[in-house]
DNA sequence: CGTTGCTTTGAGAGCTCTCAAAAGGCGTGG
DNA sequence: CCACGCCTTTTGAGAGCTCTCAAAGCAACG
């Protein structure tokens, strides 16, 4: 299994390129996104260590993938006839459910609810530690939540003022009132 | 393959119920959706004749499915050990890409762009006829696009006034300027 | 011909965006 | 160790898009 190192911001694959393998995040973080003609960007997913990404419907990538920070990935060559289909289906389905759940956030939740949903999700994926190190910038979070970076920043400030979160550094978050945060997601 | 008829608005499966089979739409239309505690609804997909729905990540449904109009479905019992995994993966992946593409619409496009994207998508799926019979209400379209039903209605009116579409009846749409519509999606 | 539900249209409010500038962090070099 | 410069983040002000509330218009159906 060939492993690869990616510097912060470097491309892992791009939309339209040939899709020949899947990837597993070894360490770091990967953003999957799509662009509109005028540059608007929507990040459809962040992938953390242990997660698999690179699924495509045909032999072309429909999305871009970039390393958020310094990141290491393993790539797995997957042919159509491989035995892996059986093990891949559950992963693909998990991704499908996640994407559909994110549609609810983007379509029907307001800014505070979106940020709360993001934080809850990140915390749960990091294994329930009470301190979270965000690998991505406010801009990345905004493009994931369909907001402007200023709105994301304002919501963080509001959550801090209300004592729901603590910001140990710009990207280190501690949940003070887990209950309040979870209730914001409904 | 047991087939089932569903009256307009009737439930096919509900969130939390046991997921034991997949479904194929024979005729009609199905909406897949999720609800927030206060009743806000996000439709993640409409399924037209020939399409498969009911994919889940575990043995529970994470979404609701309802017949939009009078609808007939075939259900397929799928066990984990079945030979179908190989054929199912491409379908699941197609759904994943569709959901992720819809994230871009909800996260980064404005109301006219969303409606345009919806119409283009529906037209392409109906096989490129120049006349489209929408099976769903404005409310359904709104809940699919993350808009209010009034905004959807206003955009339809605007598209009609600009000569981009014609409304033969409330739910029968004809594209007059395909080019303009496609350009609205970027 | 009245009822019922869906759709359209209008008016005002509110949330989020854009533009702009200040503040804060971090690494490099003196 | 401190100063500088760059990049990220925060904060502010005003504009704009979409929502909510409300009422009127339409179409289907008994």
């Amino acid at each position: 299994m060939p492993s690869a190192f990616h510097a912060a911001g470097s491309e892992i694959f791009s939309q339209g390129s040939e899709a020949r393998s899947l990837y597993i995040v070894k360490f770091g973080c990967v953003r999957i996104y799509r662009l509109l003609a005028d540059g608007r960007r929507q990040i459809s997913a962040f992938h953390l260590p242990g997660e698999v990404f690179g699924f495509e419907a045909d032999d072309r990538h429909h999305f871009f993938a970039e390393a958020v920070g310094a990141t290491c990935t393993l790539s797995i060559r997957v042919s159509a006839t491989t035995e892996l289909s059986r093990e891949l289906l559950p992963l693909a389905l998990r991704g499908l459910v996640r994407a559909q759940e994110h549609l609810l956030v983007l379509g029907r939740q307001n800014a505070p609810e979106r940020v709360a949903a993001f934080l809850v999700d990140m915390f749960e994926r990091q294994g329930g530690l009470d301190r979270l190190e965000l690998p991505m910038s406010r801009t990345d979070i905004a493009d994931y939540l369909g907001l402007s970076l200023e709105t994301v920043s304002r919501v963080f400030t509001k959550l801090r003022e209300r004592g729901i979160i603590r910001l140990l550094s710009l990207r280190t978050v501690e949940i003070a009132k887990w209950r309040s945060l979870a209730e914001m997601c409904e």
Side-chain angles (χ1 to χ4, degrees), chain A:
Chain A
M1 291 210 290
S3 98
F5 177 82
H6 309 275
S10 63
E11 174 183 303
I12 298 175
F13 57 75
S14 72
Q15 191 177 340
S17 68
E18 197 180 350
R20 18 178 91 187
S21 33
L22 293 178
Y23 303 81
I24 302 178
V25 182
K26 209 162 146 189
F27 63 79
C29 177
V30 174
R31 58 178 170 248
I32 307 297
Y33 67 91
R34 199 142 195 205
L35 297 173
L36 288 172
D38 61 1
R40 282 175 287 177
R41 181 179 70 156
Q42 177 63 43
I43 294 179
S44 60
F46 292 112
H47 290 291
L48 302 179
E51 299 178 355
V52 178
F53 67 96
F55 288 108
E56 296 292 348
D58 48 55
D59 60 348
R60 293 279 151 192
H61 283 295
H62 293 234
F63 302 89
F64 295 93
E66 282 177 1
V68 171
T71 297
C72 188
T73 61
L74 297 177
S75 49
I76 319 162
R77 200 64 164 253
V78 176
S79 63
T81 54
T82 188
E83 279 304 307
L84 259 52
S85 322
R86 202 172 313 254
E87 305 165 42
L88 254 38
L89 187 58
L91 288 175
L93 291 176
R94 189 72 220 125
L96 178 59
V97 169
R98 285 189 66 83
Q100 291 184 131
E101 288 176 344
H102 196 41
L103 285 174
L104 175 64
V105 176
L106 295 191
R108 288 299 178 210
Q109 296 196 293
N110 59 30
E113 291 169 338
R114 292 185 202 198
V115 173
F118 168 73
L119 289 174
V120 167
D121 181 51
M122 288 300 289
F123 263 89
E124 287 175 346
R125 284 159 71 189
Q126 288 234 344
L129 283 68
D130 59 344
R131 183 172 301 181
L132 174 64
E133 188 68 29
L134 294 174
M136 71 290 285
S137 68
R138 300 287 188 266
T139 300
D140 282 338
I141 298 173
D143 283 351
Y144 176 67
L145 296 177
L147 299 170
S148 69
L149 71 99
E150 294 94 332
T151 295
V152 171
S153 178
R154 277 184 257 264
V155 173
F156 268 89
T157 300
K158 196 67 78 178
L159 290 175
R160 183 168 48 71
E161 287 173 352
R162 288 175 52 193
I164 294 176
I165 64 172
R166 274 187 290 272
L167 290 175
L168 307 185
S169 78
L170 284 177
R171 298 196 183 177
T172 309
V173 187
E174 233 180 53
I175 307 281
K177 303 180 185 171
W178 187 274
R179 195 49 150 313
S180 303
L181 202 67
E183 280 170 1
M184 289 181 67
C185 310
E186 239 95 325

